[in-house]
Amino acid sequence: SAAVPNSFVPRDQVKTRVLNILTNFEELKQSPESIQTDTPLSKTGIDTVDFEKFTKAVNNEFSISTLTSKYNTIEAIVDFVSKQSNAK
C-alpha cells in the first residue's frame, strides 16, 4: 500500500475526535465508548434529524463538507474522514 501523505488526519485522531463529538450529543442513549464501531448510529438513540446535526458537526470539525448520512457507523465515518486529504 502507498504511504499516506502527511496531509491526512491520522485514523486514531479521527476516531477520537468523532467520539468526542458523539459525547456531546445529548440525544445519544449510551456512552460513545460502549458503541461498537460497526453499529449503525440509528440504533443508539440518534434519529434522522440528530444524525444530520452529527454529520454537520463532523464536517465542521474536520473542515470538510462531503460527509453524508450514507456513512452511518463510527467505522465508516472514521474511514471516510481519514481518507480526505483536505481534512484538518
Side-chain angles (χ1 to χ4, degrees), residues 38-57:
D38 60 350
T39 299
L41 291 175
S42 59
K43 291 191 170 24
T44 64
I46 294 181
D47 66 20
T48 309
V49 174
D50 297 330
F51 190 72
E52 290 297 320
K53 283 195 272 184
F54 172 70
T55 301
K56 187 172 184 171

Side-chain angles (χ1 to χ4, degrees), residues 9-20 62 78 82:
V9 179
R11 195 172 158 59
D12 58 336
Q13 280 184 31
V14 172
K15 185 173 181 182
T16 299
R17 288 163 67 185
V18 167
L19 288 174
N20 283 342
F62 293 98
V78 170
S82 62

Side-chain angles (χ1 to χ4, degrees), residues 77-88:
I77 292 165
V78 170
D79 277 349
F80 178 81
V81 174
S82 62
K83 291 175 182 163
Q84 303 307 300
S85 60
N86 58 331
K88 306 218 175 332

